[in-house]
Amino acid sequence: MPDAPNPRASRRGALKAPVAPRETINRRHTRGARRKRETRARLLDAAFALVAEKGMDGVTINDITEAADVGFGSFYNHFESKEGLFAALVEWLFEEFANTLDGLASDLSDPAEVIAVSVRHTLMRAYREPVWGQLLIREGFSARALSRGLGQRLLRDSERGISERRFVVADPLMCLISAIGTILAGIAAELHFAASSKRTVRARKVLRSSEARFAERTAAIVLQAFGLKRVEAERIAQRPLPAGSDVKTG
């Protein structure tokens, strides 16, 4: 007589799932992480494009998810709110640009020239991409902007110049704040000039300046804030930009 089946043993066997190889699990995790990064990047790209079109206050979460082709509910897998997305957008844009500046200035030994190149590129980027410039103005003195990205790079480069006695300043913090204020004011002026072609022509005649020349003059003012004499500051601000730059002087 055959043995009767053991129900308990059968249940144990049914509950025992096959173990996936470690390589398969790793591939699944890697694929899932990659998809999450790609979805997040699509949301950020869509948000930036919409802000450029409608302004920050005119964009909704639904607008962003529709443009990114992402489910509305999936938005909250990446960001807690629209404000959280905008904070991440600002950090992403400025950190990426700061890394670009680091690459361009990597072969420069003079801290003054490093800062001049960074200021010129920042002004020209704001001129070419007004929404980017508006975001920088909005965030320029925030704790996030000062502690990361462009603000952190400017602090690093100014401290290096002070430690090497290239810069002579009485109050490093106030000098840094003054430099940031000059950069933001320069961007605001560029955006104001760009608002009307006729106004731009008149303003350029008064300033006798092209966009690149205006960026050079702003960089020279920043260097003077760090203690350089006017003639030397202007000379450094007018040096040819490093190879790989797409900014043309004029």
Side-chain angles (χ1 to χ4, degrees):
M1 182 176 180
D3 294 336
N6 186 332
R8 186 174 298 173
S10 299
R11 284 197 298 271
R12 284 200 301 267
L15 291 172
K16 192 173 182 181
V19 177
R22 184 180 298 275
E23 293 79 6
T24 301
I25 295 173
N26 289 339
R27 281 199 300 271
R28 288 173 183 168
H29 284 307
T30 302
R31 187 162 54 244
R34 185 179 67 250
R35 287 176 178 169
K36 189 172 183 178
R37 288 194 302 270
E38 290 171 351
T39 300
R40 189 176 190 273
R42 288 210 309 274
L43 289 167
L44 290 169
D45 283 335
F48 183 62
L50 288 167
V51 168
E53 178 185 350
K54 301 181 178 182
M56 200 166 293
D57 294 333
V59 178
T60 67
I61 292 176
N62 190 63
D63 292 334
I64 295 168
T65 54
E66 286 286 334
D69 194 23
V70 174
F72 185 88
S74 298
F75 176 92
Y76 294 97
N77 293 331
H78 303 274
F79 307 102
E80 294 182 356
S81 62
K82 185 176 79 169
E83 290 70 25
L85 180 144
F86 286 147
L89 176 64
V90 168
E91 183 176 312
W92 175 51
L93 289 172
F94 297 151
E95 187 71 23
E96 179 184 52
F97 183 64
N99 289 336
T100 298
L101 293 180
D102 278 349
L104 288 171
S106 61
D107 293 330
L108 300 178
S109 58
D110 182 1
E113 188 171 3
V114 171
I115 286 181
V117 167
S118 298
V119 172
R120 290 165 69 187
H121 272 276
T122 300
L123 267 289
M124 292 303 296
R125 170 79 181 267
Y127 176 79
R128 292 193 304 268
E129 300 180 36
V131 173
W132 186 90
Q134 290 165 3
L135 288 172
L136 184 54
I137 290 173
R138 171 177 167 162
E139 294 289 325
F141 282 107
S142 69
R144 180 170 52 247
L146 292 172
S147 62
R148 303 191 66 175
L150 292 171
Q152 189 267 340
R153 265 46 167 222
L154 183 58
L155 175 63
R156 178 200 65 194
D157 295 334
S158 64
E159 288 179 340
R160 176 189 163 200
I162 292 170
S163 67
E164 294 179 4
R165 299 185 182 279
R166 185 68 171 100
F167 302 149
V168 180
V169 299
D171 188 325
L173 176 59
M174 291 308 300
C175 181
L176 181 67
I177 292 173
S178 175
I180 293 173
T182 300
I183 295 167
L184 296 179
I187 292 172
E190 282 284 28
L191 297 180
H192 177 71
F193 295 157
S196 165
S197 57
K198 291 182 179 179
R199 189 186 306 158
T200 301
V201 171
R202 289 197 299 270
R204 292 301 179 197
K205 286 181 179 179
V206 171
L207 293 173
R208 299 175 184 176
S209 174
S210 67
E211 295 81 25
R213 176 62 178 151
F214 185 77
E216 291 173 4
R217 294 172 70 177
T218 304
I221 294 296
V222 170
L223 292 180
Q224 289 176 71
F226 284 111
L228 273 68
K229 299 294 185 182
R230 180 178 65 82
V231 173
E232 183 184 17
E234 291 178 350
R235 176 173 54 80
I236 292 172
Q238 293 171 16
R239 286 177 181 169
L241 288 163
S245 167
D246 62 349
V247 176
K248 302 184 187 307
T249 56

